[in-house]
Amino acid sequence: MSPMNNGPEARAIENLIRKLAQFSPLSAEERASLKALPLRLRQYARGELIVEQGSRPEESAMVVSGIAFRFKLVPDGARQIVGLQVPGDFVDLHSFVLKPIDHAVAAASPAVVGRIPHAALEKMLEKHPRLSRALMWDMAVDAAVAREWLAIMGRRSAYQQLAHLFCELYFRMDWAGQVRDRGFDFALTQAELGDACGLSTVHVNRSLQALRKDGLIGLENHTLVIPNIDALAKTAEFDPAYLHLLK
Amino acid sequence: MSPMNNGPEARAIENLIRKLAQFSPLSAEERASLKALPLRLRQYARGELIVEQGSRPEESAMVVSGIAFRFKLVPDGARQIVGLQVPGDFVDLHSFVLKPIDHAVAAASPAVVGRIPHAALEKMLEKHPRLSRALMWDMAVDAAVAREWLAIMGRRSAYQQLAHLFCELYFRMDWAGQVRDRGFDFALTQAELGDACGLSTVHVNRSLQALRKDGLIGLENHTLVIPNIDALAKTAEFDPAYLHLLK
DNA sequence: CGTCATATTGACTTTAGTCAATAGAAGTGG
DNA sequence: CCACTTCTATTGACTAAAGTCAATATGACG
């Protein structure tokens, strides 16, 4: 399937281009090169593994639809989720330069993932060296998000951590065009939320109940509704600047 | 002062070159270009601010001697340390592409820092586009360390977190040639250790006492001694692979 | 010698984790 | 479409880890 049609994969690439353009304006040729990137598409079921920890990918994967999460397994069997990716996000751009990959990636919902061979990226960068800086920028934003997570995890209550995570996801999903009626598909289990925030499932459950009782979120039918994002952002002390999603 | 002499700044650049060479072998010309990078040196006192959060640096800073730490301030005044840098490490390479910078950097001990103008980096990359990939790699390693911290912070006890942090620092300082007699200069206060691990000062104090009692560390006179790194690594379940320090 | 930062200790509180049971939902095969 | 299995969510009772507050000690330094 070519990425030049109007399917969801074209939208994902459009999202990527729109994102990279925030670093610096892209020429028509650069945009064309990005659009021409070959995407090997594949569908994943909820929970299915997309990238294996310790592998040495020859391609980098991008979320086309759905949500993916990246996680590390610690020796005693516990899991820590280190990032979430929405349509248009690379899940492992860094594997372009850093191998083996230090974490796994799995589908948080039914998802479509497109894979771009590193060789194709190399070829593109050869032709458009300036894009190299744009990819660096994308990697840097990814790292900035991880640092924000560190700050949240280290210094926030469970209640605030969850609120912050929902805010982040809301902004990113909205930017990716996935929000309608203040809500979006959200299939993460409470166990997964716990793995993202470093909390036990039971405590996640209780904190979610508190958030619901306070009218800050609605979460049912695999849909997360945030009736008042400003209110949620206020309790989470959330500032979207670190996401670098200008518009 | 030129980086071509034998001062500590030459050693720092040597460390950087040795580090980047782990990504892929560097040609003599590439090495020469790296060595020729202009370093604006400056000395900092313990605790002094090196880079201000929210600023838009036109240079990236590298630790020449001492230890620096990067931190974020959260709205209520709490602080979270998101990374430590040892001689040869960039503290804010990502500010080359990502502005404003999302965290501050301060000296954890008396330190010398060298600054490299982004313009000089750009010029070097123009001449040696392959080095662009090497810098990407360096940024990717930095991000991998942040992800490891996430996993540790989310899923480990205070005791293990501290042990893990000391292991990481030991390996990195050793690689940078700063370890003698199984110890190295270590001027972080207990409050700073708490800010790094998301712990209160009191709890850090008690956990350190436990580590001392168990004979895993010696910490006095601003010197951290690890009599048996294997034993410490075992209790911390520390695997140095994520640091990507091959030799 | 006095001041300020850092480290240590004790007493107490709070947050979050653990264990175990139950309830609901979703998915599967027949 | 139903019976069954399997996840996932929820609840209660209890425990443990870590935080808070406040006092005191120790050490560096001008």
Side-chain angles (χ1 to χ4, degrees):
Chain A
M1 204 181 302
S2 143
M4 301 301 272
N5 66 20
N6 283 317
E9 69 278 19
R11 259 254 298 284
I13 289 273
E14 285 299 343
N15 274 351
L16 175 66
I17 291 175
R18 195 156 53 99
K19 203 189 327 173
L20 295 184
Q22 294 184 136
F23 168 62
S24 80
L26 302 175
S27 72
E29 294 76 32
E30 287 167 340
R31 282 164 196 271
S33 267
L34 283 163
K35 274 189 203 160
L37 282 173
L39 269 194
R40 196 165 62 83
L41 293 178
R42 192 184 141 186
Q43 168 97 41
Y44 290 87
R46 211 210 94 74
E48 206 177 341
L49 205 60
I50 297 170
V51 178
E52 208 172 330
Q53 185 163 350
S55 65
R56 302 176 150 271
E58 292 297 323
E59 333 170 274
S60 279
M62 162 183 297
V63 176
V64 167
S65 70
I67 294 181
F69 62 91
R70 302 150 69 182
F71 65 98
K72 301 185 77 141
L73 292 172
V74 300
D76 66 343
R79 179 170 73 166
Q80 176 67 44
I81 291 179
V82 296
L84 297 173
Q85 327 295 138
V86 305
D89 289 344
F90 277 110
V91 300
D92 60 348
L93 179 55
H94 56 294
S95 77
F96 180 41
V97 288
L98 191 68
K99 290 165 193 170
I101 188 161
D102 57 299
H103 55 77
V105 185
S109 62
V112 175
V113 163
R115 287 193 157 78
I116 302 172
H118 290 160
L121 287 177
E122 263 168 37
K123 212 166 158 188
M124 179 184 77
L125 295 184
E126 223 167 87
K127 200 166 151 198
H128 300 293
R130 256 177 24 106
L131 284 180
S132 170
R133 223 63 57 82
L135 292 188
M136 259 191 203
W137 175 84
D138 195 58
M139 286 176 47
V141 171
D142 189 62
V145 172
R147 285 189 293 268
E148 183 75 14
W149 281 37
L150 269 177
I152 300 310
M153 190 175 298
R155 293 304 183 195
R156 283 320 194 342
S157 67
Y159 182 87
Q160 273 193 311
Q161 274 186 78
L162 288 166
H164 196 281
L165 185 66
F166 293 149
C167 281
E168 175 179 319
L169 219 34
Y170 185 92
F171 272 79
R172 294 172 67 181
M173 287 294 268
D174 192 24
W175 200 87
Q178 307 290 313
V179 170
R180 27 188 173 42
D181 288 336
R182 309 176 176 212
F184 53 89
D185 283 353
F186 184 83
L188 284 175
T189 65
Q190 296 182 357
E192 285 161 349
L193 284 171
D195 288 339
C197 298
L199 300 168
S200 70
T201 309
V202 172
H203 199 54
V204 167
N205 182 280
R206 289 177 172 137
S207 304
L208 286 180
Q209 288 180 44
L211 284 165
R212 274 194 276 242
K213 187 168 66 60
D214 296 346
L216 292 171
I217 62 164
L219 180 47
E220 46 197 14
N221 268 99
H222 284 184
T223 301
L224 178 66
V225 177
I226 300 179
N228 183 343
I229 183 67
D230 291 338
L232 188 63
K234 194 170 170 201
T235 59
E237 300 187 281
F238 175 83
D239 175 353
Y242 72 97
L243 295 173
H244 291 266
L245 300 177
L246 295 185
K247 161 65 202 79
Chain B
M1 204 182 299
S2 142
M4 301 302 271
N5 65 19
N6 283 319
E9 71 277 19
R11 259 253 299 285
I13 289 273
E14 285 299 342
N15 273 352
L16 175 66
I17 291 175
R18 195 156 53 100
K19 203 188 326 172
L20 295 184
Q22 293 183 138
F23 168 61
S24 80
L26 301 175
S27 72
E29 294 77 31
E30 287 167 339
R31 283 164 195 271
S33 267
L34 284 163
K35 273 189 203 156
L37 282 173
L39 269 193
R40 195 165 63 83
L41 293 179
R42 191 183 142 187
Q43 168 95 41
Y44 290 87
R46 212 209 94 75
E48 205 175 342
L49 204 60
I50 297 170
V51 177
E52 207 172 331
Q53 185 163 350
S55 65
R56 302 176 150 271
E58 292 298 323
E59 331 171 275
S60 279
M62 162 183 296
V63 176
V64 168
S65 69
I67 294 181
F69 63 92
R70 301 150 70 183
F71 65 98
K72 301 184 77 139
L73 292 170
V74 300
D76 66 344
R79 180 170 71 167
Q80 176 66 46
I81 291 178
V82 297
L84 296 172
Q85 327 294 138
V86 306
D89 289 345
F90 277 110
V91 299
D92 60 349
L93 179 55
H94 56 294
S95 76
F96 181 42
V97 288
L98 191 69
K99 289 164 195 170
I101 188 162
D102 58 300
H103 56 75
V105 185
S109 62
V112 175
V113 164
R115 287 192 158 80
I116 302 172
H118 290 160
L121 288 177
E122 263 168 40
K123 212 166 158 188
M124 179 185 76
L125 295 185
E126 224 166 87
K127 202 165 151 199
H128 301 292
R130 257 175 26 105
L131 284 180
S132 168
R133 223 63 56 81
L135 292 187
M136 259 192 204
W137 175 85
D138 195 59
M139 285 175 49
V141 171
D142 189 63
V145 173
R147 284 190 293 269
E148 183 75 15
W149 281 37
L150 269 177
I152 300 311
M153 190 175 296
R155 293 302 183 199
R156 282 323 191 347
S157 68
Y159 182 88
Q160 274 192 311
Q161 274 185 79
L162 288 166
H164 196 281
L165 184 66
F166 293 149
C167 282
E168 176 180 318
L169 220 33
Y170 184 93
F171 272 80
R172 293 173 67 181
M173 288 294 269
D174 192 25
W175 199 86
Q178 307 289 312
V179 169
R180 27 184 175 46
D181 287 337
R182 307 172 178 215
F184 54 88
D185 283 352
F186 184 84
L188 284 175
T189 64
Q190 295 183 357
E192 284 160 351
L193 284 172
D195 288 338
C197 298
L199 300 168
S200 69
T201 308
V202 171
H203 199 53
V204 167
N205 182 281
R206 289 179 172 137
S207 304
L208 286 181
Q209 288 179 45
L211 284 165
R212 275 194 275 240
K213 185 168 66 61
D214 296 345
L216 292 171
I217 63 163
L219 180 47
E220 47 195 15
N221 268 100
H222 285 183
T223 300
L224 178 66
V225 177
I226 300 179
N228 183 344
I229 183 66
D230 291 338
L232 188 62
K234 195 169 169 203
T235 58
E237 300 187 281
F238 176 82
D239 176 351
Y242 72 97
L243 295 173
H244 291 266
L245 301 177
L246 294 186
K247 159 76 202 79

